[in-house]
Every structure is written in C-alpha cells, then in structure tokens.
Amino acid sequence: MRALLGILICLCAQSALAETRYVSDNIYIFMHGGPGTQYRILGSVKAGEALDVKGGQAGFTQVVDERGREGWVKNEDLQREPSLKVRVPQLEQELQALKDRLQNLNGDNEKRFAEKDGKITEQEAQLATLKGQLDSQGEELASVKAENDALTSSIDNREHDMQMDWFIRGGAMVGGGILLGILLPMIPRRRKQSERWMN
C-alpha cells in the first residue's frame, strides 16, 4: 500500500514539475518549511508573485520564490493564471494601445471625412459656377435667338418691299408703255417740206 502511495506521489510530483503558479490575489501568503501549517514559517510571498513549482503533497505545493527561497504553500493559495495585480496593468496597457489605435483610426477617418467634405464643397462651388455659366449662356442664346428672329423678320420685310417695288415699277412701265402705245398714233405727224411743196 505504501509503495502504491509512493508511486502516486511521484507521479503527482512529476506532473507538477516545470510548472509556474502565481500567488492568488490575497495580500500575502505564508511559506512553510514543510507540507503543512505545523511547519515553521519561512516568510511571506506577495500577491501576484510567480513561483516555480518543485513538487507537492497533502494539499501543499513545494515552490521556489523570486528571491530563491524554497518552501511549501497551500494549494488553495495558488492559481494557474497571473493574478489581477499582474494582469490589470497589462490589460490597461493593452486598453491604452487599443484606445490609441482607435484614436488614430478616428483621426484618419476625420481627416478623410474633412477631405471629402472639402471636395464636396469644391465640387458644389464648381457646379454652382457651371450652372451660372449655363444660365448666362442660356440668356445669351435667347438674346441671339431674338436678334436672329428680328433679322429674319427684317429680311422678310425687305424682300417683300423689294418685290412690291419691282411690282410697282413693272406695273408703271407696263402702264406707261400702254399709254404711249395709245397716245403715239394720235399724235399728228409733221409733214416734210418736200411734201408741202408738192401739194
């Protein structure tokens, strides 16, 4: 029976070797000279301190602290993860790094938004300028169209006046020719002197 118990203790000791444990988040714990509270107290270990595990038995673990002292502490005072005393500064550092990163991202985003807002404002100004130019060109086009309509109307009136003038001149010439054709035969002819002497 003792042999079996010894084997179990050896197996437990081997599995505990090369392992690191941390003092739990108490203010401090006592390190004893053997695996029990009846053994002499060698000193105290602060919360969060890392201890190298050498072995263990009967609810106690044999450890070596950061100052090289070797002793035994209760298993219930140890934990596998670093204590909050150690983890909180690390977490705060990680949190600060994330905050800085987020702030940089926010700064980059704000810069991009500011650039986009500037471009939008610039494009709106260009659009307003182009719209003004378009309105001005529309007014110029309307003015040119009105002038074109006036010139077209003036040309049409001149052509009409020229046609009326030619019509009137032509009518006057025809009327004068007819009148001349009627009057010429009525005009008595002068007789030549030779014809007078013969009579």
Side-chain angles (χ1 to χ4, degrees), residues 177-189:
I178 291 173
L179 185 60
L180 189 60
I182 293 172
L183 291 177
L184 275 179
M186 294 183 170
I187 295 176
R189 289 185 183 178

Side-chain angles (χ1 to χ4, degrees), residues 123-190:
Q123 289 174 351
E124 285 176 350
Q126 290 177 354
L127 185 61
T129 303
L130 290 174
K131 188 177 179 183
Q133 291 176 355
L134 184 63
D135 292 341
S136 176
Q137 289 176 353
E139 291 175 1
E140 289 178 7
L141 182 63
S143 175
V144 168
K145 188 177 179 183
E147 288 179 8
N148 189 28
D149 292 342
L151 288 173
T152 302
S153 176
S154 176
I155 290 170
D156 290 343
N157 290 336
R158 282 190 180 184
E159 286 181 356
H160 183 264
D161 291 345
M162 286 176 66
Q163 287 175 357
M164 289 298 293
D165 188 38
W166 281 106
F167 181 72
I168 290 170
R169 285 184 183 182
M173 288 180 71
V174 169
I178 291 173
L179 185 60
L180 189 60
I182 293 172
L183 291 177
L184 275 179
M186 294 183 170
I187 295 176
R189 289 185 183 178
R190 284 187 175 182

Side-chain angles (χ1 to χ4, degrees), residues 5 20 24 29 34 43 45 53 64 70 72 78 101 109 122 136 138 151 167 195:
L5 185 60
T20 301
S24 60
I29 62 170
V45 183
V53 175
V64 177
E70 187 173 328
W72 295 78
L78 297 176
R101 185 178 175 189
N109 287 337
E122 184 180 347
S136 176
L151 288 173
F167 181 72
E195 288 180 4

